[in-house]
Structure formats: C-alpha cells, structure tokens
C-alpha cells in the first residue's frame, strides 16, 4: 500500500500554496457553475400566497395551500376567485367580457391578472420570487 | 512562514472582494397598483426616501389619467374632438395639447417605416369592428359585412393623408380617423420615465398590462422578467411562463397578442389587431414580443410585426430598426432574431422550436 | 541569388517546441468532441512548458505557430475551428501572464506547472466556449454544458500539469548533471 504520508510528501514537493489556491478556486468555480446553470435558473418561482386587491386599497392575503373560493365585492358587482392546488383564477366576475375568466390559472410567483371593469386584481407572491415582473398577457 | 502569511493575505483579499459585492446597500422597494389607462398598471420604485417614492407614484398616476382622457379616440377628450372634426371633413384645431401633435407626427414616421402596417389612421375600421364597445355591458357583437369593410379598405386611410399646418390638422382623405391604441401606451410609458427622472428616481419598473419598461437596476441586479405563454389554456401541464429575460437600464419589453381584446362569435375569435390591408383581424400570429430602448417604438413595432406575420416580419423589423424580436405563430412555432436568442432563456421544449431569422447586425458578421 | 537567413539558438528552440505542439494538436484533432471544435488542449503542455521555461514571448510564438500551422495542415485555416483554437490559445496565454503578474504582486511563490495548467485549461475552455456561443450557437441552453466542460478542463489541466511538471523536472535534472 502506498502510504498517505508518501503521497503527501510528493504533493508537498509538487504543489506550492499558489497551486492549492488555484485548485480550490477551480473546484469552487465548477461547483458554482453547476449550481448557476442547472439549478438556480430553471425553477419556476414557487408561490405561496394569493394577493387580492380592490382598486387601490391594501391587498388581502390568502394562503395558496388551502383550497377555497373567495367572493369579493368589486366596483360593479361580486367576483369569484378560486384557489386550488396552489394555483388561483377568476371563475366569475361581474363584467361582460370575462377576460379575467378566460385567463388561465395563475401558478407562478409574480403573475397577475385583473378584472378591469370590476377593479379587482389578483396576483401571486412567493418567499423567493424569481421574476420582478411578468410580461405579455395579463 | 512568509509564504503562508501571503497565502493568508490573498485569501482574505478574495473574501473581502466577494463581501464587497454582497454588502452593497439595498434600496427599499415601493409598489403601487393602479387601474388606469384602460389597464392594470404596476409601478415598482426603488428609493431610500418614502416621501420621494409616493410623490413620484402620485405624479405618474395623475399623468396616466390625464393622458388617457386626452388621447382617448372616442370620448370627449382632445383626440375625440379631433376625430369628430375630421369626420365632418373640417379642419381640426389642436386644442391646447401639444402631446397630440407629437403623437401624430411621431406615428406618421413610424407608420411609413412599417410599410403602413402600423396605421393609427384606421380608427373607423376599429369602430366598425366595435372595439369601442368592448367595455360595454351586454353588447351584441356583429361581424361587419364584407362590403363595408371593403369600402373602408379601398378608401385607404393613411397617416400620410394628414397635413399639419399652423396648429391645425387637415386630412386629404375623409376616411381618416385616429386611434393610437397601438402607440399611446408606449408614449405614455416614456412620459412616465421622464416623471421618474424629475423625481430623482433612478431605479424603477413600470408594467402597464404586461408591457413594461425598466430604469436602472434592482439593487445592482438586472430586472428579471418572465414572459407569459400566449396560449390560453386551463391545462396545468403547460408552462405558464415560456421564457425569461434580464432587462438592463432603459430597456423595454412590449408584446402584442391576439388575446388582449377580442370577442367571440360562434366559437370564432375576433381580436383587436386589424390588418389595414384586409380590414380583418390579422392572422398567422399569436404574439410578438419586442425588446428595445424606446417604448413608443416598441409599441408600434409589436403591432406592425404582428400584422406582418411569420413570413414578413424580418423585413419590417429591419426597416423599423428592431433587433430583438420573438414571434409566436398560430402553429406555435417560435421565431426569433439571433440577438433575441442570445438574450432570452426559453423555458419550453414542447412544440416550440427556434428558427433564427438572420437580421443584418452591424459588426457581428462572420 | 542566394538568400541567407540567420537563425539563433532561440529560433531553433521555438521551432522544435512548435513542431512538438503541432504534432500533439493534429493527433488531438482526431479525437471526437461533444461540441464540434472544442478540444481538451493537450498541446497546451508545450505552451505551458515554454511559458515556464522561456517566458511568455516564446510561449506566444509557439502557440501562434501551433494554431496557424496545424490549421493549415488540417485544412481548417480561417474556419470556425481555427477561430476556436486561436481564441482558446490566446485567452489561456493571457490568463497565464495575468496570474503570473498577480502572484508576483502578492509576493507569493508562483504556482508550479500544475496550478498554471489548471488556469490555462479553464481559460482555454471558456475562450472556446464563449466564441462558440457568440458566433455559432447563440442559444442560452448551451450554457448547461459549460459546467461539464469546465470540470473536464480542471481534470485535464491537473493531468497536463503533472506531465509538464515531470518534463520540467527531468530536463532540469538532466541539465544539472
């Protein structure tokens, strides 16, 4: 068996402190790259709270882990909001077009939709929101 | 001994350098939601001064309200009056507000650059399709007859028919009626950026119904934006966010989609982006997303490229000077310029594939 | 007319080293790679050896000669592959110079061939990778491969560093005798 001491002596002969510093940094760099390109970027932001807001009043918070239907009075009538399996959506609103009802489930933190005529907006919030804003359809 | 001391020193230096980055001072985040300009506006401001932030938010809120009534094409605002006068073939005096003059002049240039695909002179066509009634309760939408559509298309209202002289605007074509629905939001966002700057706000994000512009950074980091899947579905297996992108100072992201305003008759959807060449809602595209620095240009260009469709968009993009484009066609193909492909992180594998359309990019040929 | 060219001892040395590097480069080009054009850069052993023994100027000459002549031999001159090896070679040499200077500033004992080889391998790989991404495959998904490439670069760097170190040791003990 090659003794550990012998390996250490050889490496001590071969390596300078600068070598050790470089190798340690290289290992850190590659570990960080794995984390950065494989794990950090690929998760869709997990949401845990639903914010329901009427006009410019303070938003009300609802936990997403509890399935329920929220009835909220808006500018022209009631709106029904459903929470199911960590997602949320409008299921009815007191407006003609029902654009908000057409809108699919909100599932990602930062995502927002609103019933404009009824002045009610719903959005998702998470502890670690991945996006500062959501572009495109609202 | 000496070498170990140096080793220690350099390690400390590295720790010190990395600590510098993380201990950077973080500004407070102020957020406000507004129902204005016919949409939901989200304002995010980073500041150390709550007074300063709330003043800026109030100024933005009232400016949005002011511009909305001023630029509304059918109400009794300044633009509404101009449209009424134009309809009576009268000279329309521009009343008090220089902003409408700018709106007309700027959109005239952009309309020409877009080969007339971005055409704010087709207000009558938009009305024919009853998109002025879209917010009305219980309105029964009808598909216009092909004769009436054809009639308006042959009259060919163009921005070039408009002459401005001595604060008065005149149209050589009686069918011209202004509708800045594809431009006003972009111009308004640029105005809001000016307001932010006069309130000494250096870092902010304004999101007006999914179209947004950023200022500065979010505590030293680029603003991270998720782009929504344009496909409306209640199927939860489909990804809600199809792409992510980092925006740097003064960058803006505008999207035109067939899902924004529409009505359905017998299961067929009629959306609000009217192709001025046919008079019917434009076909072939689901959404177009534009990244640039000028929100007004982005707004106009997203509409023009939407109408241009999967075949013609590269030509129009080139003419309008747009480098970053993502277009999703009706068959769910994602088209992108190479510049956009470099910036965007696609999060979808499904049916989407990237077909890079080569735009001539200065200094990047090989 | 007879053209007379005076060559120095240094010229001969560079020619010899370049010839060695070119041979390794050409042999290496026969191995497959998951990303076309990206190579582990075993020819760097020679560049590294030259850098440590004769300084950066000699190393620059050797690596330029290697990149240009091997591409002429392989028929890839001015092609994407050529650009990839050139960028890798130049970036790795720049990093070597930078780190040599940095350790000098820090008054530290310079790294052995192993430390230098790791630096050279990582920068060689990232240089190639960046050029490949920027000019040929401008897709962010490519970056998923970067950690794997860098891991291989570190491992290959250590291996080629040990080889270089052994060569240097042998040559030094030979000249001492």
């Amino acid at each position: 068996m090659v003794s550990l001491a012998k390996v250490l002596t050889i490496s001590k002969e071969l390596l300078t402190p600068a070598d050790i510093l470089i190798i340690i940094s290289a290992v850190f760099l590659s570990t960080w790259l794995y984390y950065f390109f494989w794990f950090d970027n690929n998760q869709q932001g997990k949401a845990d709270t639903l914010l329901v807001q009427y006009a410019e009043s303070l938003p009300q918070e609802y936990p997403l882990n509890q399935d329920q239907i929220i009835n909220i009075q808006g500018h022209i009538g009631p709106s029904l909001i459903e929470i199911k399996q960590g997602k949320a959506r409008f299921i009815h609103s007191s407006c003609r077009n029902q654009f908000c009802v057409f809108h699919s489930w909100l599932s990602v933190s930062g995502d927002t939709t609103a019933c404009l005529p009824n002045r009610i907006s719903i959005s998702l919030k998470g502890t670690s929101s991945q996006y500062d804003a959501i572009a495109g359809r609202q | 001994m000496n070498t170990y001391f140096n080793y220690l020193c350099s390690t400390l230096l590295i720790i010190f350098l990395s600590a510098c980055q993380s201990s950077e001072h973080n500004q407070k985040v102020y957020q406000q939601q507004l129902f204005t300009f016919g949409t939901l506006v989200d304002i995010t401001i980073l500041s150390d001064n709550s007074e300063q932030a709330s003043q800026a938010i109030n100024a933005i809120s009232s400016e949005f309200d002011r511009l909305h009534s001023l630029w509304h094409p059918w109400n009794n605002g300044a633009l509404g009056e101009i449209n009424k006068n134009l309809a009576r073939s009268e000279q329309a005096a521009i009343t008090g507000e220089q902003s409408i003059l700018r709106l007309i002049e700027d959109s005239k240039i952009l309309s020409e650059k877009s080969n007339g695909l971005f055409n704010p002179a087709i207000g009558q066509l938009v009305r024919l399709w009853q998109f002025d009634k879209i917010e009305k309760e219980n309105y029964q939408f009808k598909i216009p007859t092909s004769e009436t559509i054809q009639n308006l298309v042959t009259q060919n209202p163009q921005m070039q028919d408009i002459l401005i002289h001595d604060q008065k605007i005149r149209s050589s074509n009686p069918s011209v009626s202004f509708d800045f629905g594809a431009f006003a939001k972009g111009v308004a966002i640029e105005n809001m950026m000016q307001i932010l700057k006069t309130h000494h706000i250096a870092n902010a994000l304004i999101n007006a119904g999914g179209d947004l512009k950023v200022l500065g950074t979010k505590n030293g980091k680029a603003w991270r934006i998720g782009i929504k899947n344009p496909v409306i579905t209640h199927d939860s297996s489909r990804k809600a966010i199809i792409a992510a992108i980092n925006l740097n100072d003064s960058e803006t992201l505008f999207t035109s989609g067939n899902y924004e305003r529409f009505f359905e008759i017998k299961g067929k959807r009629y959306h609000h982006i009217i192709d001025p060449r046919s008079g019917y809602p434009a076909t072939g595209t689901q959404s177009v997303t534009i990244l640039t620095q000028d929100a007004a240009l982005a707004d106009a260009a997203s509409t023009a490229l939407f109408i241009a469709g999967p075949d013609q968009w590269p030509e129009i993009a080139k003419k309008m000077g747009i480098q970053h484009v993502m277009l999703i066609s009706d068959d769910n193909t994602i088209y992108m310029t190479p510049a956009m492909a470099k910036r965007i992180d696609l999060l979808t594998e499904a049916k989407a594939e990237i077909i890079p359309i080569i735009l001539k990019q200065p200094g990047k040929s090989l | 007319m007879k053209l007379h060219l005076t060559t120095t001892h240094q010229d001969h040395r560079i020619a010899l080293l370049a010839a060695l590097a070119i041979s390794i480069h050409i042999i290496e080009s026969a191995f497959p790679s998951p990303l076309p054009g990206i190579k582990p850069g075993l020819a760097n052993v020679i560049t590294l050896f030259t850098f440590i023994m004769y300084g950066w100027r000699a190393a620059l000459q050797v690596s330029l000669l290697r990149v240009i002549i091997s591409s002429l031999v392989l028929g890839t001159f001015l092609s994407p592959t050529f650009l990839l090896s050139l960028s890798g070679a130049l970036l790795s040499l720049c990093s070597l110079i930078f780190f040599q200077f940095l350790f000098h500033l820090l008054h530290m004992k310079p790294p052995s061939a192993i430390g230098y080889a790791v630096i050279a391998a990582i920068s060689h790989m990232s240089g190639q990778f960046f050029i490949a991404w920027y000019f040929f495959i401008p897709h962010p998904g490519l970056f998923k491969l970067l950690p794997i490439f860098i891991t291989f670069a570190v491992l290959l760097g250590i291996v080629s560093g040990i080889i270089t170190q052994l060569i240097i040791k042998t040559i030094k003990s030979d000249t001492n005798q």
Side-chain angles (χ1 to χ4, degrees):
Chain A
M1 200 186 95
V2 188
S3 69
L4 190 67
K6 201 173 176 187
V7 174
L8 279 176
T9 344
I10 293 170
S11 51
K12 217 173 183 180
E13 266 173 40
L14 278 174
L15 301 174
T16 70
D19 281 325
I20 295 163
L21 195 63
I22 290 165
I23 292 170
I24 290 172
S25 318
V27 171
F28 266 113
L29 175 76
S30 31
T31 323
W32 179 76
L33 286 172
Y34 278 106
Y35 171 74
F36 189 80
F37 289 112
W38 285 19
F39 300 106
D40 194 33
N41 256 5
N42 206 24
Q43 293 167 355
Q44 299 234 337
K46 264 261 177 268
D48 51 34
T49 312
L50 171 72
L51 299 180
V52 179
Q53 189 170 3
Y54 168 57
E56 269 116 62
S57 64
L58 277 178
Q60 283 177 281
E61 298 196 2
Y62 298 89
L64 275 179
N65 55 15
Q66 200 179 329
D67 290 3
Q68 61 174 314
I69 288 174
I70 301 156
N71 188 338
I72 183 166
Q73 190 63 30
H75 190 60
I76 51 175
S79 284
L80 292 182
I81 298 146
E82 182 184 13
I83 297 179
K84 201 173 147 191
Q85 291 164 2
K87 296 171 292 168
R89 65 168 175 178
F90 277 105
I91 47 174
H92 171 79
S93 210
S94 298
C95 58
R96 205 210 73 83
N97 305 297
Q98 308 266 307
F99 285 130
C100 53
V101 180
F102 273 116
H103 193 288
S104 40
W105 290 96
L106 297 184
S107 57
V108 181
S109 176
D111 206 354
T112 305
T113 188
C115 174
L116 295 176
N118 215 10
R119 304 205 177 178
I120 288 173
S121 75
I122 60 172
S123 57
L124 297 191
K125 202 179 76 172
T127 37
S128 59
S129 186
Q130 200 195 343
Y131 301 113
D132 298 317
I134 305 288
R137 181 156 53 85
Q138 284 217 334
Chain B
M1 190 61 211
N2 195 28
T3 52
Y4 282 102
F5 175 70
N6 287 327
Y7 181 33
L8 190 73
C9 277
S10 52
T11 318
L12 283 174
L13 183 76
I14 288 168
I15 292 168
F16 175 70
L17 285 175
S18 51
C20 267
Q21 222 184 356
S22 58
S23 70
E24 202 180 81
H25 167 71
N26 277 1
Q27 288 184 304
K28 275 207 194 93
V29 181
Y30 297 90
Q31 264 180 317
Q32 177 70 51
Q33 188 170 74
L34 305 167
F35 284 92
T36 181
F37 218 70
T39 186
L40 178 70
V41 177
D42 261 309
I43 304 167
T44 308
I45 286 177
L46 273 73
S47 169
D48 289 322
N49 184 339
S50 67
E51 190 63 25
Q52 191 186 42
S54 68
Q55 276 175 7
I57 287 170
N58 287 339
I60 287 173
S61 172
S62 54
E63 179 69 355
F64 261 124
D65 288 341
R66 190 179 77 89
L67 295 181
H68 186 51
S69 60
L70 208 58
W71 294 349
H72 201 287
W74 308 298
N75 287 357
N76 295 325
L79 188 65
E81 291 303 323
I82 290 172
N83 275 340
K84 276 174 205 159
N85 288 342
L86 284 176
R88 282 183 242 126
S89 321
E90 284 172 16
Q91 273 203 358
I94 290 169
T95 48
E97 183 54 50
Q98 289 297 311
S99 72
I100 293 182
L101 192 70
R102 287 266 330 260
L103 218 52
I104 294 170
E105 282 174 339
D106 291 352
S107 59
K108 203 168 168 175
I109 298 166
L110 287 172
S111 180
E112 200 172 338
K113 278 190 183 167
S114 72
N115 287 357
L117 294 184
F118 162 66
N119 186 353
I122 59 163
Q124 289 201 31
L125 260 175
V126 179
R127 284 192 97 157
L128 190 62
W129 282 95
Q130 311 127 74
F131 284 105
D132 53 332
K133 309 282 193 319
I134 201 95
E135 272 148 37
K136 281 216 169 134
E137 288 285 315
N138 302 320
Y139 184 83
Q140 283 302 314
F141 285 95
K142 289 182 284 288
I143 304 166
T145 62
S146 56
E147 291 82 46
T148 51
I149 291 172
Q150 205 46 55
N151 183 26
L152 267 177
V153 171
T154 356
Q155 288 190 56
N156 192 22
Q158 292 281 340
M159 288 308 287
Q160 272 57 46
D161 298 330
I162 295 296
L163 293 166
I164 300 176
H165 185 68
D166 234 14
Q167 300 287 299
K168 298 243 181 352
I169 59 164
R170 214 153 24 94
S171 168
S172 57
N173 183 338
S175 68
V176 168
S177 175
F178 294 119
D179 183 335
F180 292 106
F183 192 49
K185 201 202 269 180
V187 180
I189 287 184
E190 285 302 330
N191 286 8
M192 303 312 154
M193 291 295 148
Q194 287 312 313
I195 291 180
L196 285 171
K197 281 174 187 162
T198 55
H199 283 81
H200 307 290
I201 305 286
N203 303 296
L205 183 152
I206 295 183
N207 184 354
D211 296 321
L212 50 93
K213 179 158 177 164
V214 304
L215 211 55
T217 59
K218 194 186 186 189
N219 286 322
K221 275 162 66 183
W223 298 90
R224 183 132 183 105
I225 312 297
I227 300 173
K228 284 211 85 166
N229 195 336
V231 185
I232 295 179
T233 171
H234 291 278
D235 163 18
S236 57
S237 69
R238 208 189 277 270
K239 279 196 173 151
I241 305 291
I242 52 159
I245 194 162
N246 287 341
L247 292 191
N248 304 317
D249 181 33
S250 299
E251 284 186 327
T252 177
L253 206 60
F254 261 73
T255 303
S256 278
N258 59 9
Y259 43 74
E260 290 169 85
R261 280 156 197 263
F262 60 86
F263 55 83
E264 281 183 336
I265 292 175
K266 290 178 189 153
K268 194 167 159 33
R269 178 175 299 176
Y270 298 90
H271 65 82
H272 76 297
I273 306 172
I274 307 292
D275 185 341
R277 298 166 299 186
S278 69
Y280 283 85
T283 54
T285 316
Q286 285 191 73
S287 78
V288 173
T289 300
I290 304 269
L291 187 160
T292 177
Q293 296 223 332
D294 179 351
L297 170 67
D299 201 353
S302 66
T303 306
L305 300 196
F306 185 100
I307 296 167
D311 297 328
Q312 290 175 341
W313 70 266
E315 184 198 334
I316 306 293
K318 204 168 154 183
K319 232 184 138 191
M320 297 187 84
I322 304 284
Q323 296 228 334
H324 297 83
V325 183
M326 176 171 78
L327 181 144
I328 303 178
S329 66
D330 273 348
D331 59 8
N332 289 347
T333 310
I334 302 180
Y335 297 84
M336 269 193 240
T337 55
M340 188 65 135
K342 262 178 215 167
R343 290 287 300 270
I344 212 162
D345 299 328
L346 273 187
L347 306 173
T348 173
E349 303 93 29
K351 261 178 105 180
E353 49 183 301
I354 319 161
I355 299 175
I357 303 288
I358 307 301
L359 269 181
K360 275 264 180 287
Q361 286 174 278
K364 282 185 187 171
S365 56
L366 189 93
Chain C
M1 195 180 86
K2 197 175 166 188
L3 193 73
H4 191 73
L5 200 67
T6 354
T7 52
T8 62
H9 184 62
Q10 170 83 355
D11 291 336
H12 295 167
R13 192 153 57 203
I14 285 169
L16 181 71
L17 290 165
L20 265 169
I22 292 161
S23 328
I24 299 175
H25 185 111
I26 291 170
I27 293 165
E28 193 184 70
S29 69
F31 288 102
S33 162
L35 238 190
I38 289 191
K39 293 292 168 198
L42 282 173
N44 273 342
V45 169
I46 306 298
T47 314
L48 201 61
F49 173 79
T50 318
F51 178 78
I52 293 170
M53 298 290 285
Y54 310 111
W56 68 270
R57 282 186 188 82
L60 181 66
Q61 290 175 46
V62 170
S63 65
L64 284 179
L65 281 170
R66 172 191 46 103
V67 170
I68 294 167
I69 296 173
S70 346
S71 71
L72 286 171
V73 172
L74 294 167
T76 57
F77 186 58
L78 296 182
S79 78
T81 319
F82 168 74
L83 196 76
L84 287 175
S85 11
L86 185 68
S87 56
L90 288 182
L91 190 69
S92 72
L93 198 57
C94 286
S95 318
L96 286 178
I97 297 166
F98 172 78
F99 276 94
Q100 191 182 45
F101 185 63
L102 184 76
F103 284 116
H104 176 72
L105 275 188
L106 290 170
H107 299 292
M108 270 179 90
K109 194 180 164 197
S112 72
I114 298 169
Y116 276 134
V118 171
I119 291 170
I122 291 176
S123 42
H124 184 257
M125 190 59 86
S126 1
Q128 291 188 339
F129 193 89
F130 186 73
I131 295 292
W133 168 74
Y134 197 78
F135 289 106
F136 312 124
I137 317 169
H139 188 270
L142 196 68
F143 277 95
K144 297 243 149 157
L145 294 174
L146 184 62
I148 304 175
F149 279 121
I150 295 295
T151 310
F152 273 102
V154 173
L155 294 176
L156 283 164
I158 292 172
V159 171
S160 61
I162 292 170
I163 297 172
T164 317
Q165 187 68 26
L166 291 176
I167 297 172
I168 291 173
K169 220 176 161 185
T170 317
I171 287 183
K172 274 188 177 162
S173 60
D174 278 0
T175 42
N176 285 346
Q177 274 168 14

